[in-house]
Amino acid sequence: MDIDVLGTLGVRLNGVSVTPTAPKPRQVLALLALRAGQVVPVGVLTEELWGSEPPRSARATLQTYILQLRELISAALERGAGDAGGRCCQAKDVLLTVPGGYLLKNGDGVSDVREFERLAGSGYRAMDAEDHPQAARLLREALALWTGSPLADVHTGPQLETEVKRLEESRLCALDQRVEADLRLGRHRELLAELTVLVNQYPTHESLCGQYMLALYRSGRRGEALDAYQRLRTTLVRTMGLEPSPTLAKMQRSILMSGSDMLPARPAVSASVVPVG
């Protein structure tokens, strides 16, 4: 079973989609797919579908959704059995009922989340080893798996909302490290367009702002680098009552004083992300 969640939801078995069109069964499948190989308790699924006040019929309705998913899985299995000349398993062997909940098996299938985590983890290790070309390559491959916002076409309840936030934070961390690797490789001019978009998308993200300032400064755009700092400071003070970190302030002073070319590749600032709506 192949699972895609880094964009629109896609779950395929034997190359056949088992993704339902109805909203609530899609929610159930999305949560099971994100936690493939793990037991998802009935209570967790119920909360996802109906929040803290589920209807009295919640358990029976959930069972109906599970049956609908198994029907799709059965159709995919039958097609695969026909192609292979026999039947290997049943839907209940793929979507299991276990004590307290349900478990979706994806076997040897590909999960874009797991592939992202594998590539990003290798990229972080390459950064630790100061192998910046390898880090940039691996992190770029990891980020290329994203086709949009996670579960972009799925209605999300409290459980999936948490998962989506976790995935978005993981993507931002990988992006931050990939930009750092590119800066250390001297690609500051190539990064300017991308960083211009990112600092507008995440106006209180100090690490991205520091990277943007450095890319501008090294591209001979000292005044714009100082303007970027002032915009960040204004936003932080207005929305959070905070000043920029000491490290970022030190970078600003170095640029202001036309400091040496030995500015760090990036400021070691916290990567707090508080997008302004």
Side-chain angles (χ1 to χ4, degrees):
M1 179 176 286
D2 297 327
I3 297 170
D4 294 329
V5 299
L6 302 180
T8 57
L9 175 65
V11 182
R12 297 170 300 281
L13 185 59
N14 295 329
V16 180
S17 174
V18 297
T19 310
T21 56
K24 287 194 179 297
R26 285 174 76 84
Q27 278 181 268
V28 173
L29 180 61
L31 193 52
L32 291 168
L34 274 170
R35 302 182 185 181
Q38 305 174 34
V39 176
V40 182
V42 168
V44 169
L45 288 163
T46 299
E47 182 187 15
E48 168 60 25
L49 292 171
W50 295 287
S52 59
E53 297 182 359
R56 295 179 65 180
S57 60
R59 183 176 289 269
T61 304
L62 175 59
Q63 290 172 345
T64 299
Y65 296 152
I66 294 295
L67 288 174
Q68 292 173 3
L69 293 176
R70 283 180 175 153
E71 288 174 1
L72 293 168
I73 292 170
S74 291
L77 288 171
E78 287 172 4
R79 178 168 171 177
D83 294 341
R87 188 180 180 93
C88 61
C89 61
Q90 297 180 338
K92 65 181 181 181
D93 300 317
V94 178
L95 177 49
L96 287 70
T97 300
V98 296
Y102 299 95
L103 184 151
L104 184 69
K105 288 185 175 181
N106 75 320
D108 296 327
V110 176
S111 164
D112 60 356
V113 169
R114 292 180 182 175
E115 183 66 4
F116 167 77
E117 291 172 345
R118 182 187 70 80
L119 287 167
S122 297
Y124 297 148
R125 289 190 289 275
M127 284 296 294
D128 291 341
E130 298 187 358
D131 186 349
H132 302 126
Q134 177 78 339
R137 182 185 67 80
L138 289 166
L139 291 166
R140 191 168 282 109
E141 287 182 18
L143 292 163
L145 294 170
W146 290 70
T147 60
S149 299
L151 300 175
D153 58 347
V154 177
H155 175 76
T156 56
Q159 294 291 330
L160 285 178
E161 285 176 1
T162 299
E163 293 286 354
V164 166
K165 289 177 182 178
R166 176 184 66 82
L167 290 170
E168 288 176 338
E169 181 63 25
S170 296
R171 177 182 177 274
L172 193 56
C173 288
L175 182 59
D176 177 83
Q177 287 289 285
R178 199 227 78 221
V179 171
E180 178 183 354
D182 282 337
L183 278 173
R184 291 182 182 274
L185 292 169
R187 297 171 179 165
H188 40 274
R189 288 185 176 85
E190 297 97 310
L191 288 168
L192 281 175
E194 180 182 13
L195 282 168
T196 299
V197 174
L198 288 172
V199 296
N200 280 283
Q201 185 177 3
Y202 302 103
T204 60
H205 195 300
E206 295 192 36
S207 179
L208 288 174
C209 182
Q211 291 169 334
Y212 185 45
M213 290 168 61
L214 188 59
L216 285 167
Y217 176 76
R218 289 186 171 173
S219 299
R221 296 161 66 174
R222 175 172 170 268
E224 292 174 68
L226 294 171
D227 286 344
Y229 176 85
Q230 290 301 328
R231 285 195 299 273
L232 172 73
R233 181 181 182 277
T234 298
T235 302
L236 284 174
V237 171
R238 184 183 72 247
T239 62
M240 304 171 66
L242 296 175
E243 290 284 342
S245 69
T247 303
L248 199 62
K250 181 179 180 181
M251 171 178 273
Q252 184 256 2
R253 289 193 299 272
S254 295
I255 295 174
L256 186 63
M257 298 170 62
S258 297
S260 71
D261 293 334
M262 301 304 291
L263 279 169
R266 86 189 264 271
V269 297
S270 62
S272 59
V273 185
V274 188
V276 177

